[in-house]
């Protein structure tokens, strides 16, 4: 099979082969086309679940947590660190955030 590609793309593929990233230009081109197909599938996806399915590499969350030595958070147990002041409600926090944004906006600071 023969595929005509622009000269600048051919140069990129040849550079990848020369760097040792791929054994030959055909393999590099096939990988580039695979990535393009996955990208197009993800961009056409109607929702996040379809986009995740279209991705070429998926991450096993449990394996990642184990690799990073992260334990699941149990909302039923008290947090070992005091992350949230006991005397402050969620409404207090949201009010603080809202006021902070108003202050920032009134000073001309962009987000």
């Amino acid at each position: 099979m023969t595929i005509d590609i622009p000269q600048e793309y051919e140069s990129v593929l040849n550079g990848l082969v020369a760097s040792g990233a791929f054994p030959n230009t055909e393999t590099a081109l096939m990988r580039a086309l695979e990535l393009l197909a996955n990208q197009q599938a993800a961009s056409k996806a109607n929702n996040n679940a379809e986009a995740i399915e279209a991705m070429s590499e998926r991450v096993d969350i449990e394996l990642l947590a184990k690799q990073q030595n992260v334990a699941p958070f149990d909302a039923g147990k008290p947090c070992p660190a005091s992350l949230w002041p006991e005397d402050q409600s969620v409404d207090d926090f949201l009010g603080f955030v809202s006021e902070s944004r108003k202050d920032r906006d009134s000073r001309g600071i962009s987000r």
Side-chain angles (χ1 to χ4, degrees):
M1 172 173 71
T2 303
I3 299 176
D4 291 326
I5 60 173
Q7 179 63 38
E8 60 269 17
Y9 296 153
E10 186 176 0
S11 297
V12 170
L13 293 173
N14 288 333
L16 290 169
V17 171
S19 73
F22 294 96
N24 54 48
T25 53
E26 181 179 322
T27 304
L29 179 59
M30 293 307 293
R31 179 64 176 145
L33 292 174
E34 178 185 331
L35 292 172
L36 177 61
N38 289 340
Q39 183 182 24
Q40 287 177 337
S43 69
K44 289 180 182 177
N46 291 330
N47 60 41
N48 289 340
E50 290 176 11
I52 290 171
E53 291 299 324
M55 296 173 67
S56 61
E57 295 180 26
R58 298 181 62 184
V59 175
D60 181 329
I61 296 296
E62 292 175 3
L63 177 61
L64 180 63
K66 189 174 184 177
Q67 290 171 342
Q68 295 180 353
N69 198 27
V70 176
F73 179 75
D74 184 355
K77 293 182 181 178
C79 187
S82 51
L83 298 175
W84 193 272
E86 290 182 22
D87 62 335
Q88 190 178 65
S89 71
V90 172
D91 291 330
D92 292 336
F93 174 73
L94 294 176
F96 168 77
V97 171
S98 179
E99 289 300 317
S100 297
R101 287 183 175 172
K102 287 178 188 174
D103 290 345
R104 182 178 55 208
D105 293 341
S106 67
R107 292 189 311 245
I109 300 172
S110 62
R111 293 184 230 190

